[in-house]
Amino acid sequence: MSLRFFLIEDDAVIRKMLEKIITESGLGEVVGQAEDGLHVSIDQLYSVDVVLIDLLMPGLDGIQTMKKLKAEGFTGPFVMISQVENKEMVGQAYLHGVDTYIQKPINRYEVISVLKRVADHLSLVSSLDSIRRFLQVVDDKRKNSYDFDSNYSLHRSITYTYEKNSLEQKVRQLLLVLGIAGEAGSSDLLHIMKWLSERERRGKTIHDLPQLKELYMQILCQMHSTQDEHSLQKEMRAMEQRIRRLVFQAFTHLSSLGLTDYANPTFEHFAPRLFDFEEIRLRMQELEAGEKTTKCRINVRKFLSAFYMEVKNIYD
């Protein structure tokens, strides 16, 4: 499993060493770096799987930076890097969300061993999520198959299934066009589109879309009605991060198309509709300069609204 890493470390030599180890060992790639926690935000972590972070840094230390990024919505694992041997301080790091620890001075074999364990864990989590989504689909289909109370109920069940599959097909077509069909957030996006479609049937318009966290929470409450508040909050943050990553990948894919061919019909049609075009142009400049992370501002709410309108209008 090839991972995308972000390094937060005030020592440029250590950042260089870590990047070399990660690249040469085939663990993945370093897609961004920062020398302290003050200048790192969730916008820089759209495509990041794992954050490697120093415990002691000027400005914000590692624990404070972790707390900030988690509050902003990053749900990936943190790997702490430090020469601190104070057990209480290390314990505080674990208490606030560190998944594992690499001791300074940097040892190549320790880094590879720790990061391979992290990769294996993420692969397992991904597999379990896929199984859970599959079982949810099977359960939904089974529930639909038992709706035989009357001819009217049967007609409604068949009609609903047809409409659901039709919407799903349209969403998947658009995901393919935008180059994001394989992203983990694609199933979340499908749930959001179904929720918006059902909401529209009840007379609501796309213009009165709730705030994103409220939207995610309403969808999760429908999907997992028996979960407690803490579990729902945790799943909401995970969904938020998956959607952010998916939107960032669509943003980058369209920018890449425009950079290759400004007259590309997919780029011409979708770039100005799904995103602010000035931000697309900035991303094109970043890609041209070889920058893997972005300073662009991406409006997720606009993307979801515009994506839904494209699903409704283009593929009818």
Side-chain angles (χ1 to χ4, degrees):
M1 182 179 185
S2 182
L3 299 177
R4 292 163 287 195
F5 296 89
F6 193 97
L7 309 181
I8 308 175
E9 161 66 58
D10 60 335
D11 190 327
V13 174
I14 292 179
R15 293 201 306 271
K16 191 70 176 177
M17 288 174 60
L18 288 169
E19 183 173 17
K20 185 177 181 182
I21 293 170
I22 289 168
T23 303
E24 291 182 351
S25 63
L27 288 165
E29 62 175 330
V30 174
V31 298
Q33 301 184 23
E35 62 183 17
D36 59 50
L38 288 172
H39 302 97
V40 181
S41 70
I42 190 66
D43 291 341
Q44 295 170 269
L45 304 181
Y46 279 121
S47 62
V48 172
D49 296 304
V50 182
V51 172
L52 276 67
I53 184 169
D54 188 13
L55 179 55
L56 299 179
M57 295 183 294
L60 287 182
D61 64 27
I63 292 175
Q64 292 171 321
T65 302
M66 240 185 347
K67 290 167 68 175
K68 180 188 78 165
L69 294 174
K70 281 177 173 288
E72 290 177 355
F74 182 72
T75 58
F78 287 89
V79 178
M80 187 66 76
I81 308 164
S82 184
Q83 60 188 13
V84 172
E85 296 182 0
N86 184 310
K87 291 184 178 179
E88 183 177 345
M89 187 173 289
V90 173
Q92 283 294 313
Y94 277 110
L95 185 64
H96 287 91
V98 167
D99 291 86
T100 189
Y101 191 87
I102 292 173
Q103 182 75 36
K104 290 181 181 177
I106 297 298
N107 179 292
R108 176 184 179 86
Y109 298 104
E110 181 189 9
V111 172
I112 292 173
S113 176
V114 168
L115 296 186
K116 278 186 175 178
R117 289 201 303 271
V118 172
D120 290 342
H121 173 72
L122 289 176
S123 179
L124 177 61
V125 169
S126 177
S127 297
L128 291 174
D129 284 343
S130 297
I131 292 170
R132 186 182 64 181
R133 288 194 295 269
F134 172 75
L135 292 175
Q136 182 67 46
V137 170
V138 171
D139 187 51
D140 288 345
K141 288 183 177 179
R142 186 173 66 246
K143 288 177 181 177
N144 288 333
S145 68
Y146 291 128
D147 191 7
F148 293 105
D149 294 337
S150 66
N151 289 335
Y152 176 70
S153 295
L154 177 59
H155 172 72
R156 287 196 63 190
S157 176
I158 293 172
T159 301
Y160 175 72
T161 302
Y162 172 77
E163 290 175 352
K164 181 174 69 172
N165 290 338
S166 177
L167 175 67
E168 182 171 337
Q169 184 179 24
K170 293 174 184 179
V171 170
R172 296 197 185 283
Q173 286 174 341
L174 190 48
L175 287 171
L176 285 168
V177 169
L178 296 176
I180 51 175
E183 288 293 317
S186 59
S187 60
D188 297 307
L189 184 61
L190 178 58
H191 283 301
I192 291 171
M193 294 302 109
K194 291 177 181 177
W195 185 86
L196 290 173
S197 178
E198 182 58 35
R199 188 169 178 269
E200 192 172 42
R201 287 194 187 98
R202 298 196 301 267
K204 300 285 187 178
T205 69
I206 196 69
H207 303 293
D208 58 355
L209 193 68
Q211 294 300 310
L212 291 180
K213 289 186 178 181
E214 181 185 345
L215 184 153
Y216 300 150
M217 185 58 75
Q218 289 189 35
I219 292 170
L220 289 169
C221 285
Q222 288 182 354
M223 294 168 59
H224 311 291
S225 57
T226 59
Q227 285 193 3
D228 57 64
E229 179 68 20
H230 176 74
S231 298
L232 286 172
Q233 286 289 341
K234 183 177 179 181
E235 181 59 29
M236 187 270 289
R237 290 192 294 271
M239 176 184 279
E240 183 178 36
Q241 181 67 11
R242 290 192 298 267
I243 290 293
R244 278 178 173 269
R245 176 175 296 177
L246 175 138
V247 175
F248 173 73
Q249 293 301 331
F251 178 67
T252 298
H253 177 70
L254 287 173
S255 301
S256 178
L257 289 179
L259 190 61
T260 305
D261 177 12
Y262 205 74
N264 182 290
T266 300
F267 171 79
E268 283 189 329
H269 180 86
F270 291 107
R273 287 172 170 80
L274 299 177
F275 301 101
D276 294 327
F277 199 69
E278 285 302 313
E279 300 299 325
I280 285 280
R281 296 177 78 168
L282 286 175
R283 184 61 180 147
M284 290 166 65
Q285 293 171 7
E286 290 176 341
L287 292 173
E288 193 170 28
E291 297 177 20
K292 295 174 181 177
T293 57
T294 184
K295 295 182 176 65
C296 298
R297 295 185 177 276
I298 301 174
N299 189 331
V300 176
R301 198 163 181 266
K302 174 182 177 178
F303 174 88
L304 294 177
S305 300
F307 189 97
Y308 179 68
M309 295 305 297
E310 292 298 316
V311 167
K312 278 185 57 182
N313 298 333
I314 292 182
Y315 293 103
D316 281 343

